[in-house]
Amino acid sequence: MPKLHADATLVPSTQRIELFSDGVFAILLTLLIIEIDVPFLADESFPTVIDGLLRTLPHLLSFAFSFFTLAVFWVNHHHFFSVLGRTDWVLLWHNMHLLFWLALVPFTTAFLGEHPDVSLVAAIYAFNMTMAAAAFTLMTRHALFHGCFTTTEILEKERRALVRKSQAGMGLYALAAILAFGSPWVTWAMILGIPTYFVVPRLLKR
Amino acid sequence: MPKLHADATLVPSTQRIELFSDGVFAILLTLLIIEIDVPFLADESFPTVIDGLLRTLPHLLSFAFSFFTLAVFWVNHHHFFSVLGRTDWVLLWHNMHLLFWLALVPFTTAFLGEHPDVSLVAAIYAFNMTMAAAAFTLMTRHALFHGCFTTTEILEKERRALVRKSQAGMGLYALAAILAFGSPWVTWAMILGIPTYFVVPRLLKR
Amino acid sequence: MPKLHADATLVPSTQRIELFSDGVFAILLTLLIIEIDVPFLADESFPTVIDGLLRTLPHLLSFAFSFFTLAVFWVNHHHFFSVLGRTDWVLLWHNMHLLFWLALVPFTTAFLGEHPDVSLVAAIYAFNMTMAAAAFTLMTRHALFHGCFTTTEILEKERRALVRKSQAGMGLYALAAILAFGSPWVTWAMILGIPTYFVVPRLLKR
Amino acid sequence: MPKLHADATLVPSTQRIELFSDGVFAILLTLLIIEIDVPFLADESFPTVIDGLLRTLPHLLSFAFSFFTLAVFWVNHHHFFSVLGRTDWVLLWHNMHLLFWLALVPFTTAFLGEHPDVSLVAAIYAFNMTMAAAAFTLMTRHALFHGCFTTTEILEKERRALVRKSQAGMGLYALAAILAFGSPWVTWAMILGIPTYFVVPRLLKR
């Protein structure tokens, strides 16, 4: 008779984990905006409104950058799970680990929007992304090297390339965190540049 | 052996992108309300409560208008994807582009509710909708003219009509943004009128 | 060749509308809680904490009542759609109409939690529920009497009974709104009593 | 002819209840973070930022602990429903009962983050978890002992073990609530220890 808790066995479908993760991604993308307060306006003259918007600008920029970064994570998550035919308990927890760091993004984004020019705050934002990329790397490595989760055979060369790409993202974000102590604007440039680097060349290739 | 990243190939199903987008739409529709603070009442007499409600009225109206507009977007999104049998990487990013502008709606809605009579604020709201309609137009054009994504053959005349309808929405919202500098109330009328124009005639036809 | 916009035709599946509505319900149930602020405590002594909790009590009660009411709506929605095999454009908009009134619930709930003893506020809460029940009635009537949406034949007697039940809920909430001007506590009793009346007898029957 | 309201009959699929619950879990996991306000900084010097972060630390810790606990609930929920092939009306309401207590978690988490060293607040947090575990126990017992919901036969010994495990969680959280009145730090240790105890041994076994 079957064991009720499928600890040691592979769960044969990835559907519920994908839908659950999609829910988390969808909420994170939309929650980012409610951290941004409408600017307070002392009066309703044109210069005051412009001034209010300029004060909100760092928040809108950190919103846009985080939206873009989370979108890249979602697309990669989507592609990664589309080649998996199975999950196991460990993969479930690797995914939870990833979602944990992503769930912190609205907080670190709001903090960066509030203090765009503070090195430590920029470093914390980049550290958050570093940990998310690390969680993604660990999940990828587990699925591609410690079991047969993929629906089709994938060449070891390709599997290595995939994990390496994830590690590269992790390394770049770690660098962005360190360079923040030189200048936070370097970090701002990198948190826009890293997801751009992962997306734009492929879009242009087409 | 298959390439792990299906950059150049068509993703054979639209299900996950639809569910993800549904999640975003569902959250946006409900997030709109939590931007509205309960009115502060100095005392609990009948006139004070009425007065508090009247102060909240612009927020409730901008909530209702945005709810209605997002509902129209969802219905169109729903219809659009129901004729697609495939997606590709570019379509995925067109969809993300659309969701980005829609994700800003709770912010511009709250801003409009706070300052209903300020031209610039009304213009920003209409600009937000212009960009969302533009993203929808770009997505529609990509899917209908640059690949074979639809499950059934659709006449070129009809495809053109569909893109044109999307462009019309974009143009009308751009006009609403410009006319705000004449009077914000024209913009208010248009942001109610535009989705009404897209929905009510069809409902009456039945 | 098929028309792209299926205005006049029946959409053959209810799945996406169900999933979208589930998303909205799931968010509403959970959003209710973030309208409740943690009570401010002047110091951390036992009586102060108890006092803070007592001040929060009306909010927690209005949260619990709304959670329960929305749960009843979800269960009824779930049952209603489980007998439908098709939707059309009008049903889609009836559903949106229902979701609009439900989306207001976090606001009216927070307002009631803030001013539990104000007649007008209790009446507004009950009015919100009246409109939601009205939307549900309209949706039910459309699906059961103006088309062939159900997967199995349902006796007219039963269809009438179903619409009547929905109308009864609407009438009771309207009564609760009116009686609020006598005493808001009657409304409180009714907003707990109405969903209880719809659920508990059936649970006991089993 | 079929009865429209399937009160007495078994609903043949668990899919919609699973998706709905997934939505609630996904939102709860992400809502936890927006209860945390960005720390106010009087100036932007390094010590001030560090000080602001230290003040936020209890919030971040209570966030992390609740995220972890809700993740364990989700994994157990996921496993539990994966062996069920059917639901009924009573199970639906047991599930709603569980979601009710889980929906309170963002509130009790924020309260604990605000007052990490207050016994009563820690006790309330642990009481919340006790009730959630109790709801899970009741749901499990109903599904495993009062009907044939499972897709495969499960030994009575195993069914008893499963319910007992759920009861153990309930008992441990009740203990954590009581011990809070000795020291809240015991409760903090237990709210980290209890989910760890349910997860880590199984992860190590692999």
Side-chain angles (χ1 to χ4, degrees):
Chain A
M1 275 193 206
K3 297 231 324 191
L4 193 55
H5 269 269
D7 293 36
T9 59
L10 295 162
V11 179
S13 156
T14 62
Q15 201 195 5
R16 204 175 157 190
I17 195 176
E18 282 181 74
L19 288 174
F20 173 70
S21 307
D22 272 11
V24 173
F25 273 106
I27 299 153
L28 288 176
L29 283 175
T30 39
L31 275 190
L32 290 171
I33 199 72
I34 57 162
E35 297 274 6
I36 308 183
D37 287 322
V38 165
F40 170 76
L41 308 179
D43 60 273
E44 298 191 335
S45 68
F46 197 87
T48 311
V49 179
I50 292 286
D51 182 66
L53 285 170
L54 286 179
R55 272 183 287 123
T56 310
L57 194 65
H59 282 107
L60 292 172
L61 282 180
S62 69
F63 160 76
F65 287 19
S66 290
F67 190 99
F68 182 34
T69 309
L70 287 173
V72 172
F73 267 104
W74 181 78
V75 170
N76 287 341
H77 194 270
H78 179 70
H79 275 160
F80 174 66
F81 272 92
S82 71
V83 298
L84 295 191
R86 304 158 153 242
T87 58
D88 70 350
W89 220 63
V90 176
L91 193 67
L92 218 74
W93 280 103
H94 275 302
N95 192 55
M96 279 292 180
H97 180 218
L98 170 64
L99 297 181
F100 173 78
W101 292 107
L102 295 179
L104 277 168
V105 169
F107 176 76
T108 52
T109 302
F111 204 20
L112 185 62
E114 192 77 25
H115 303 286
D117 52 354
V118 176
S119 294
L120 186 53
V121 176
I124 286 167
Y125 181 94
F127 173 73
N128 188 353
M129 295 304 181
T130 309
M131 293 310 289
F136 202 89
T137 307
L138 288 171
M139 185 173 75
T140 314
R141 202 154 61 185
H142 173 73
L144 297 181
F145 288 99
H146 299 99
C148 35
F149 295 96
T150 55
T151 44
T152 52
E153 198 63 42
I154 298 165
L155 284 176
E156 187 165 342
K157 202 184 72 181
E158 258 212 79
R159 281 184 275 148
R160 276 188 203 289
L162 200 82
V163 173
R164 243 191 338 259
K165 213 182 102 187
S166 216
Q167 280 171 327
M170 187 176 75
L172 286 167
Y173 278 120
L175 189 64
I178 294 163
L179 294 179
F181 294 102
S183 159
W185 308 116
V186 175
T187 307
W188 275 87
M190 287 183 77
I191 62 183
L192 177 60
I194 297 166
T196 305
Y197 167 75
F198 279 99
V199 170
V200 173
R202 270 194 255 168
L203 282 175
L204 293 181
K205 245 201 313 199
R206 301 184 47 87
Chain B
M1 276 194 205
K3 297 231 328 194
L4 193 54
H5 269 268
D7 292 36
T9 60
L10 295 163
V11 178
S13 156
T14 63
Q15 201 196 3
R16 203 174 159 190
I17 194 176
E18 282 182 75
L19 289 174
F20 173 70
S21 307
D22 271 12
V24 173
F25 274 106
I27 298 154
L28 288 176
L29 282 175
T30 40
L31 275 189
L32 289 172
I33 199 71
I34 57 162
E35 297 274 4
I36 307 183
D37 287 321
V38 164
F40 171 76
L41 308 179
D43 60 273
E44 297 191 334
S45 69
F46 197 87
T48 310
V49 179
I50 293 287
D51 183 65
L53 284 170
L54 287 179
R55 272 184 288 124
T56 311
L57 194 65
H59 282 106
L60 292 173
L61 282 180
S62 68
F63 160 76
F65 287 18
S66 290
F67 189 98
F68 182 33
T69 309
L70 287 173
V72 172
F73 268 104
W74 182 77
V75 170
N76 287 340
H77 194 272
H78 179 70
H79 275 161
F80 173 67
F81 273 92
S82 72
V83 298
L84 296 190
R86 304 157 154 243
T87 58
D88 70 349
W89 221 62
V90 176
L91 193 67
L92 218 73
W93 280 103
H94 275 301
N95 191 55
M96 279 292 181
H97 181 218
L98 170 64
L99 297 180
F100 173 77
W101 292 107
L102 295 179
L104 277 169
V105 170
F107 176 76
T108 52
T109 301
F111 203 20
L112 184 62
E114 192 77 24
H115 303 286
D117 53 355
V118 176
S119 294
L120 186 54
V121 176
I124 287 167
Y125 181 93
F127 172 74
N128 189 352
M129 294 305 181
T130 309
M131 293 310 290
F136 202 90
T137 307
L138 288 170
M139 185 172 77
T140 313
R141 202 154 61 185
H142 173 73
L144 296 181
F145 288 98
H146 298 99
C148 35
F149 296 96
T150 55
T151 43
T152 51
E153 197 64 41
I154 298 165
L155 284 177
E156 188 166 341
K157 201 184 73 180
E158 259 212 79
R159 280 184 276 149
R160 275 186 205 289
L162 200 82
V163 173
R164 248 198 325 266
K165 213 181 101 186
S166 217
Q167 279 171 328
M170 188 176 75
L172 286 167
Y173 278 121
L175 189 65
I178 293 163
L179 294 179
F181 293 102
S183 159
W185 308 116
V186 175
T187 308
W188 275 87
M190 287 183 77
I191 62 183
L192 177 60
I194 296 166
T196 306
Y197 167 75
F198 279 99
V199 170
V200 172
R202 269 194 255 168
L203 282 175
L204 294 181
K205 246 202 314 201
R206 302 183 47 89
Chain C
M1 280 199 201
K3 296 230 328 193
L4 193 54
H5 268 268
D7 292 38
T9 59
L10 295 162
V11 179
S13 157
T14 64
Q15 202 195 3
R16 204 175 158 190
I17 195 176
E18 282 182 74
L19 288 174
F20 173 71
S21 307
D22 271 13
V24 173
F25 273 106
I27 298 154
L28 288 176
L29 283 174
T30 39
L31 275 189
L32 289 171
I33 200 72
I34 58 162
E35 297 274 4
I36 308 183
D37 287 322
V38 164
F40 171 77
L41 307 179
D43 61 271
E44 298 191 333
S45 69
F46 197 87
T48 310
V49 179
I50 291 287
D51 182 66
L53 284 170
L54 287 180
R55 272 183 288 124
T56 310
L57 194 65
H59 281 107
L60 291 173
L61 282 180
S62 68
F63 159 76
F65 287 18
S66 290
F67 189 98
F68 182 34
T69 309
L70 287 173
V72 172
F73 268 103
W74 182 78
V75 169
N76 287 341
H77 194 272
H78 179 70
H79 274 161
F80 173 65
F81 272 92
S82 72
V83 297
L84 296 190
R86 304 158 152 243
T87 59
D88 70 350
W89 219 62
V90 177
L91 193 67
L92 218 74
W93 280 104
H94 275 302
N95 191 55
M96 279 291 180
H97 181 218
L98 170 64
L99 296 180
F100 173 79
W101 292 108
L102 296 179
L104 277 168
V105 170
F107 176 77
T108 52
T109 301
F111 204 20
L112 185 62
E114 192 76 24
H115 303 286
D117 53 355
V118 176
S119 294
L120 186 53
V121 176
I124 286 167
Y125 181 93
F127 172 74
N128 189 353
M129 294 305 182
T130 309
M131 294 309 290
F136 202 89
T137 307
L138 288 171
M139 185 172 77
T140 313
R141 202 153 61 184
H142 173 74
L144 296 181
F145 288 99
H146 298 100
C148 36
F149 296 96
T150 55
T151 44
T152 52
E153 198 62 43
I154 298 165
L155 283 176
E156 188 167 340
K157 202 183 73 182
E158 259 211 78
R159 281 184 275 148
R160 276 186 204 288
L162 200 81
V163 174
R164 250 201 320 271
K165 213 181 103 186
S166 218
Q167 280 171 328
M170 188 177 74
L172 287 167
Y173 278 121
L175 190 65
I178 293 163
L179 295 179
F181 295 101
S183 159
W185 308 117
V186 175
T187 308
W188 276 88
M190 288 183 75
I191 62 183
L192 177 61
I194 297 166
T196 306
Y197 166 75
F198 280 100
V199 170
V200 173
R202 270 195 255 168
L203 282 175
L204 293 181
K205 248 202 311 203
R206 301 182 48 89
Chain D
M1 277 197 204
K3 297 230 326 191
L4 193 55
H5 269 267
D7 292 39
T9 60
L10 294 162
V11 179
S13 156
T14 63
Q15 201 195 4
R16 204 175 157 191
I17 195 177
E18 283 182 74
L19 288 174
F20 174 71
S21 307
D22 272 12
V24 174
F25 274 106
I27 299 154
L28 289 175
L29 283 174
T30 40
L31 276 189
L32 289 171
I33 199 73
I34 58 162
E35 298 274 5
I36 308 183
D37 288 322
V38 164
F40 171 76
L41 307 178
D43 60 272
E44 298 192 333
S45 68
F46 197 86
T48 310
V49 180
I50 292 286
D51 182 65
L53 285 170
L54 287 180
R55 273 182 287 123
T56 310
L57 194 65
H59 281 107
L60 291 172
L61 281 181
S62 68
F63 160 76
F65 287 18
S66 289
F67 190 98
F68 183 34
T69 309
L70 287 173
V72 172
F73 267 104
W74 182 77
V75 170
N76 287 341
H77 194 270
H78 179 70
H79 275 160
F80 173 66
F81 273 92
S82 71
V83 298
L84 295 191
R86 302 155 155 246
T87 58
D88 70 351
W89 220 62
V90 177
L91 193 67
L92 218 74
W93 280 104
H94 275 302
N95 191 55
M96 279 291 180
H97 181 217
L98 170 64
L99 296 181
F100 173 78
W101 292 107
L102 295 179
L104 277 168
V105 169
F107 176 77
T108 51
T109 302
F111 204 21
L112 185 62
E114 192 76 25
H115 303 285
D117 53 355
V118 176
S119 294
L120 186 53
V121 176
I124 287 168
Y125 181 94
F127 173 74
N128 189 353
M129 295 303 182
T130 309
M131 293 309 290
F136 202 90
T137 307
L138 288 170
M139 185 172 76
T140 313
R141 202 153 62 184
H142 173 74
L144 296 181
F145 288 99
H146 299 100
C148 36
F149 295 95
T150 55
T151 44
T152 51
E153 197 62 42
I154 299 164
L155 283 176
E156 187 166 341
K157 201 183 73 181
E158 259 211 79
R159 280 184 275 149
R160 276 187 204 290
L162 199 82
V163 174
R164 247 199 325 268
K165 213 181 101 186
S166 217
Q167 281 171 327
M170 188 177 74
L172 287 166
Y173 278 120
L175 190 64
I178 293 163
L179 294 179
F181 294 102
S183 159
W185 308 116
V186 175
T187 307
W188 275 88
M190 287 183 76
I191 62 183
L192 177 61
I194 296 166
T196 305
Y197 167 75
F198 279 98
V199 170
V200 172
R202 272 196 253 168
L203 282 175
L204 293 181
K205 248 202 310 200
R206 301 183 48 87

